[in-house]
Amino acid sequence: MGDSVFAEHAVVSQESLIAIDADVPSEIAAIVGCAVITGMGTVLNRMPDLTGKTVAIIGAGGVGLSAVIAAELVGAAKIIVSDVVPARLEKARELGATHTIDSSTEDFTERVLEITGDGAHYVLEAIGRPATVRAGFDSLRPGGTEVVVGLGAAGEELSIPINMLVQGDRRIVGALYGSSNTPVQLPEILRLYKAGRLPLDRLLDQTFALEDANAAIEHLRTGAVGRPILVPGSQPLVPIPNYASASLSKETV
């Protein structure tokens, strides 16, 4: 996908660069550049009428938690979040989830129907597995939309009952990068963060030195809450300033 990872420097096309304010912490810029804009962008761009409605989010990693923040920001009536890691579900509740489902012990579709009565208006699937995409589809109310942002393994396919799709007027759509216009929306997200409107600091997990990238990946795979951060060199990151109360310097170009 054209990424350069696990390196202290990269040569990239100017079309892939977006200027941001100099006072944005690099760790915040890192998560906004992928997880946040995917999760928030999906809610803002693919669920434009979510206010007062219900969204169910499958997967409470960095993308799913970012979607929780956006859904809470726009005033969703019910924000249902599913995961198999209790700490992630706790974090989702802290960020605005109204209901959580531990999918290791509960059936996602049954719980969504129990909570909503007739299904969710929207489902965001951030895992990329056929089983979870299907569970999300089965949880939609008539006329509902499932937005899939999780990437599956190469060659994986999805099976959906045609009559359930047609007679229920349901939709499944994909969203790459949250269907975002990144040169516009990424700076907007950072402006909201610096104004104290988005608690992005709470999406950060522990930091790792660049040479410990394998440990960071294992930590992410086995239950990280939020996003681990890789830091060039061996020094840990300094505490993140509170931009809700800090004075802001002039914007840089």
Side-chain angles (χ1 to χ4, degrees):
M1 298 182 68
D3 289 336
S4 178
V5 296
F6 306 148
E8 293 190 1
H9 300 87
V11 178
V12 298
S13 168
Q14 64 181 13
E15 286 79 12
S16 299
L17 299 176
I18 299 173
I20 63 174
D21 294 349
D23 55 0
V24 173
S26 58
E27 57 271 27
I28 294 297
I31 62 170
V32 168
C34 186
V36 172
I37 199 162
T38 298
M40 292 195 67
T42 299
V43 170
L44 299 175
N45 300 320
R46 288 294 196 171
M47 307 176 186
D49 59 341
L50 182 57
T51 303
K53 296 182 178 179
T54 297
V55 59
I57 299 167
I58 304 176
V63 172
L65 293 175
S66 298
V68 172
I69 292 174
E72 199 276 335
L73 182 70
V74 302
K78 290 186 177 70
I79 305 171
I80 306 167
V81 181
S82 167
D83 205 284
V84 297
V85 179
R88 290 178 182 166
L89 296 176
E90 181 180 351
K91 177 66 71 173
R93 289 190 291 270
E94 292 174 6
L95 294 173
T98 59
H99 302 78
T100 55
I101 300 171
D102 186 340
S103 292
S104 66
T105 59
E106 301 175 280
D107 183 273
F108 174 78
T109 300
E110 288 181 2
R111 285 288 290 126
V112 171
L113 295 177
E114 178 184 324
I115 292 166
T116 62
D118 54 0
H121 294 87
Y122 290 98
V123 172
L124 187 154
E125 199 276 353
I127 304 296
R129 295 178 57 237
T132 50
V133 175
R134 174 61 192 273
F137 178 79
D138 291 345
S139 305
L140 291 172
R141 62 180 287 149
T145 299
E146 179 176 25
V147 187
V148 180
V149 302
L151 289 172
E156 281 192 321
E157 296 183 355
L158 175 67
S159 177
I160 293 293
I162 294 174
N163 288 353
M164 188 175 177
L165 179 72
V166 175
Q167 293 173 332
D169 194 24
R170 296 174 176 88
R171 289 168 292 280
I172 298 181
V173 298
L176 178 63
Y177 228 52
S179 298
S180 300
N181 180 354
T182 50
V184 174
Q185 288 190 291
L186 194 149
E188 288 179 348
I189 289 172
L190 290 174
R191 280 194 289 270
L192 286 171
Y193 164 72
K194 295 203 299 177
R197 300 284 304 279
L198 301 177
L200 303 184
D201 308 60
R202 295 164 71 181
L203 296 178
L204 298 174
D205 194 78
Q206 70 186 77
T207 62
F208 294 82
L210 183 58
E211 55 265 30
D212 296 325
N214 287 338
I217 292 173
E218 181 64 15
H219 178 61
L220 184 64
R221 187 184 68 81
T222 56
V225 179
R227 275 290 185 263
I229 301 295
L230 285 178
V231 185
S234 301
Q235 296 301 316
L237 290 175
V238 298
I240 301 167
N242 181 4
Y243 280 100
S245 59
S247 61
L248 303 179
S249 63
K250 239 175 139 177
E251 287 188 356
T252 59
V253 178

